[in-house]
């Protein structure tokens, strides 16, 4: 009774917080905006992986073989430069598009004003040093630093501010209305003219304002004051453990915890991954242990709770029909990161027996993975983005070489032994229930046994 009261009270406090986060239009727009760029980042990452595949002979071949005076490795880098190196452009457009949809205004113009406002704040110069003289020059260009991971946070802010202004001007009716008979696309273009103009004027003055500060522009200001401190906080073992603890407590109440935490935490992880990928391309040491790949490939296996370990234990060590059949049905999807069948079928939700390993196994995985990468036993994740459905062992090899695959096998095996006593406890109770049901079935009267003859 006391446990039930505690759970009810805990749930009454937690659910409103989770619902507030999951329904927040800003956080959801960030999450969906990043998803728009996901296919492009995956393709760019794989081209980077091919050109930097950890086989010395292969890397030497690509870097020393030229076609029309250009190395093969340089040809591969074209795809990476057109995707990962300008990732912030896709993200800004995606956030503007999704936020405009939630604000019930034209999503195409939402994406357009988000991108325009962001570019208006950008310094279109790159500083270079002449090697022979040491002279420092400013060259007119689109700086790759700002259209890559370093520009993401200002892009998020610019998108929300621009779309909000656009929506408010539109709601006031300050639009040019065309007569009937004008094609809809033409009418929409003219009706957006005034809102877009107001957005441009606002960001024009913002850009001028920052030019009078010591930062010089909004990009330097946001990167120094906001993005770097957040990256430093996110790039820590304690933060990762805290995020996963919160996410898995939400899972225990049937809420997709990772979806909620990702809307806040994933933008930070993406910037850390991008810096790792840039270091990989330059042949420099990888700077960040914590990144998207660390979270996706080494924290959990088979979805939240690292339930692939649970399913293997169910499949090989349990005897009740209920658990054995569920194990057979759910183990293949779990290999590809889909674990809803076991979450709701076992169930894991509101199950105090499974709660301990479900929350504990991912935290143990994170600590062990972090420590092995910290001491150099396993290479740091290289920043290559891959589909979340990539099975373990393969994903570990692509991200951290053969050592990554070995680490994944060790962690999955360790998870099996942690889950085993808990699932065996459930298994025994299910066996007793099944035996009682079978006995009750034998005592029941069948209509086939009835006779109406004298």
């Amino acid at each position: 009774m006391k446990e039930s009261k505690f759970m009810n009270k805990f749930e009454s406090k937690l659910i409103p917080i989770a619902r507030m986060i999951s329904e927040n239009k800003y956080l959801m727009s960030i999450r969906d905006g990043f998803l728009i760029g996901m296919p492009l980042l995956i393709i760019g990452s794989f081209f980077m992986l091919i050109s930097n595949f950890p086989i010395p002979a292969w890397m030497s071949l690509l870097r020393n073989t030229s076609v029309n005076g250009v190395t093969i490795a340089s040809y591969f880098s074209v795809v990476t430069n057109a995707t990962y190196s300008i990732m912030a452009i896709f993200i800004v457009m995606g956030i503007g598009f999704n936020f405009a949809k939630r604000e019930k205004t034209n999503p195409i113009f939402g994406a357009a004003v988000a991108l325009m406002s962001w570019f208006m704040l950008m310094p279109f110069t790159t500083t270079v040093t002449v090697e022979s003289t040491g002279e420092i020059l400013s060259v007119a260009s689109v700086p790759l630093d700002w259209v890559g991971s370093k520009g993401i946070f200002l892009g998020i802010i610019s998108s929300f501010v621009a779309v909000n202004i656009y929506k408010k001007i539109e709601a006031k009716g300050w639009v040019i209305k065309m007569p009937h008979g004008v094609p809809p696309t033409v009418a929409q273009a003219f009706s957006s003219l005034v809102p877009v103009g107001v957005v441009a004027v606002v960001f024009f003055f913002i850009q001028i304002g920052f030019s009078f500060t010591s930062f010089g522009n909004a990009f330097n200001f946001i990167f120094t004051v906001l993005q770097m401190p957040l990256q430093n906080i996110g790039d820590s073992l304690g933060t990762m453990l805290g995020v996963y603890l919160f996410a898995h407590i939400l899972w225990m109440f049937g809420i997709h915890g990772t979806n909620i935490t990702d809307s806040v935490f994933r933008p930070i992880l993406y910037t850390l991954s991008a810096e790792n990928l840039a270091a990989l391309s330059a042949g420099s040491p990888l700077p960040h242990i914590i990144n998207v790949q660390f979270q996706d490939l080494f924290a959990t296996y088979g979805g939240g709770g690292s339930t692939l370990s649970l399913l293997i234990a169910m499949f090989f060590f349990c005897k009740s029909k209920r658990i054995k059949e569920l194990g057979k049905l759910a183990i293949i999807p779990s290999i590809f990161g889909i674990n809803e069948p076991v979450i709701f079928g076992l169930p894991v939700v509101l199950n105090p027996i499974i709660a301990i390993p479900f929350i504990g196994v991912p935290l143990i995985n994170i600590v062990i993975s972090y420590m092995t990468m910290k001491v150099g036993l396993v290479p740091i994740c290289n920043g290559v983005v891959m589909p979340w459905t990539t099975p373990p062992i393969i994903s570990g090899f692509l991200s951290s070489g053969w050592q990554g695959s070995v680490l994944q096998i060790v962690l999955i095996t360790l998870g099996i032994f942690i889950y085993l006593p808990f699932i065996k406890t459930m298994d025994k109770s299910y066996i007793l229930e099944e035996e009682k049901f079978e006995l009750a079935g034998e005592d029941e009267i069948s209509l086939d046994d009835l006779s109406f003859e004298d």
Side-chain angles (χ1 to χ4, degrees):
M1 180 67 76
K2 289 182 179 180
E3 183 180 347
S4 177
K5 287 182 178 179
F6 172 78
M7 292 293 286
N8 290 335
K9 187 175 181 180
F10 191 70
E11 184 176 357
S12 68
K13 300 291 185 183
L14 187 65
I15 298 300
I17 297 173
R19 185 177 293 114
M20 180 182 68
I21 297 173
S22 65
E23 294 176 356
N24 185 281
K25 59 186 177 182
Y26 294 96
L27 295 178
M28 293 303 100
S29 296
I30 293 173
R31 184 199 66 187
D32 295 342
F34 271 85
L35 288 176
I36 285 179
M38 180 64 67
L40 305 171
L41 299 182
I42 290 173
I43 296 300
S45 294
F46 269 104
F47 272 84
M48 173 66 77
L49 178 62
I50 292 170
S51 62
N52 290 275
F53 204 72
I55 299 176
W58 171 256
M59 295 173 65
S60 176
L61 173 67
L62 295 185
R63 293 174 182 177
N64 297 319
T65 305
S66 298
V67 178
N68 292 329
V70 180
T71 64
I72 296 176
S74 297
Y75 281 113
F76 277 102
S77 68
V78 170
V79 181
T80 305
N81 290 336
T83 52
Y84 221 105
S85 297
I86 58 172
M87 64 186 294
I89 295 177
F90 308 127
I91 291 168
V92 170
M93 292 176 64
I95 293 172
F97 183 91
N98 283 284
F99 187 57
K101 279 204 304 184
R102 286 181 167 83
E103 288 292 289
K104 294 181 171 51
T105 189
N106 191 302
I108 297 299
F109 283 98
V113 296
L115 198 60
M116 177 195 73
S117 61
W118 181 63
F119 272 123
M120 285 185 66
L121 301 178
M122 187 176 295
F124 286 99
T125 57
T126 301
T127 302
V128 295
T129 303
V130 181
E131 290 185 5
S132 57
T133 62
E135 184 182 2
I136 299 175
L137 301 175
S138 291
V139 180
S141 63
V142 176
L144 284 179
D145 275 354
W146 295 133
V147 296
S149 61
K150 289 176 67 175
I152 287 176
F153 278 75
L154 181 59
I156 293 171
I157 297 169
S158 299
S159 299
F160 291 141
V161 173
V163 174
N164 267 317
I165 295 171
Y166 181 95
K167 171 64 178 176
K168 287 180 180 179
I169 299 302
E170 187 181 57
K172 288 179 179 293
W174 297 355
V175 297
I176 299 173
K177 296 181 180 179
M178 300 299 289
H180 292 292
V182 174
T185 52
V186 177
Q188 181 64 59
F190 274 93
S191 68
S192 298
L193 191 58
V194 174
V196 170
V198 173
V199 172
V201 170
V202 170
F203 277 85
F204 171 74
F205 284 108
I206 293 173
Q207 189 269 340
I208 291 175
F210 274 105
S211 69
F212 288 101
T213 68
S214 59
F215 295 99
N217 58 70
F219 278 82
N220 281 327
F221 174 77
I222 294 297
F223 183 76
T224 304
V225 174
L226 179 63
Q227 184 164 338
M228 279 304 296
L230 285 176
Q231 283 186 209
N232 291 335
I233 293 171
D235 186 19
S236 69
L237 178 61
T239 300
M240 176 65 78
L241 290 172
V243 168
Y244 259 66
L245 176 62
F246 180 65
H248 282 74
I249 290 173
L250 293 178
W251 268 115
M252 293 305 302
F253 290 93
I255 301 168
H256 199 305
T258 313
N259 261 359
I260 291 174
T261 55
D262 274 359
S263 61
V264 178
F265 194 45
R266 208 166 183 84
I268 299 172
L269 296 179
Y270 267 116
T271 59
L272 299 174
S273 289
E275 291 182 10
N276 275 14
L277 196 65
L280 176 69
S281 179
S284 304
L286 305 184
H288 305 295
I289 294 176
I290 303 294
N291 51 47
V292 171
Q293 291 70 41
F294 181 90
Q295 173 181 268
D296 291 351
L297 309 181
F298 292 98
T300 58
Y301 304 97
S306 202
T307 49
L308 180 58
S309 296
L310 170 62
L311 282 163
I312 293 172
M314 290 166 58
F315 188 83
F316 287 104
F317 299 103
C318 292
K319 297 179 180 179
S320 68
K321 293 179 181 178
R322 176 175 174 177
I323 291 182
K324 289 287 284 186
E325 291 303 315
L326 179 61
K328 292 176 184 178
L329 290 171
I331 194 165
I332 298 300
S334 184
I335 292 172
F336 297 95
I338 300 167
N339 71 342
E340 278 73 10
V342 71
I343 292 288
F344 299 102
L346 186 59
V348 170
V349 174
L350 297 176
N351 186 335
I353 296 175
I354 293 296
I356 295 172
F358 184 83
I359 294 172
V361 170
L363 301 183
I364 293 170
N365 290 346
I366 290 168
V367 171
I368 293 175
S369 298
Y370 187 90
M371 292 305 175
T372 54
M373 292 182 185
K374 185 77 173 176
V375 300
L377 289 176
V378 177
I380 295 173
C381 301
N382 54 26
V384 172
V385 178
M386 60 192 76
W388 60 271
T389 52
T390 307
I393 302 176
I394 296 173
S395 62
F397 177 76
L398 294 176
S399 179
S400 300
W402 64 267
Q403 301 96 321
S405 296
V406 172
L407 176 59
Q408 288 182 326
I409 294 170
V410 170
L411 293 178
I412 292 170
T413 305
L414 177 62
I416 294 170
F417 285 103
I418 295 173
Y419 266 113
L420 195 54
F422 297 92
I423 192 61
K424 286 293 286 182
T425 300
M426 289 188 66
D427 187 49
K428 289 177 182 177
S429 68
Y430 286 159
I431 289 172
L432 291 175
E433 287 180 11
E434 289 168 5
E435 289 175 350
K436 289 179 181 179
F437 181 79
E438 288 175 2
L439 289 172
E442 289 176 3
D443 293 337
E444 289 176 357
I445 299 174
S446 172
L447 293 177
D448 293 334
D449 296 332
L450 296 178
S451 174
F452 296 99
E453 297 178 1
D454 292 331

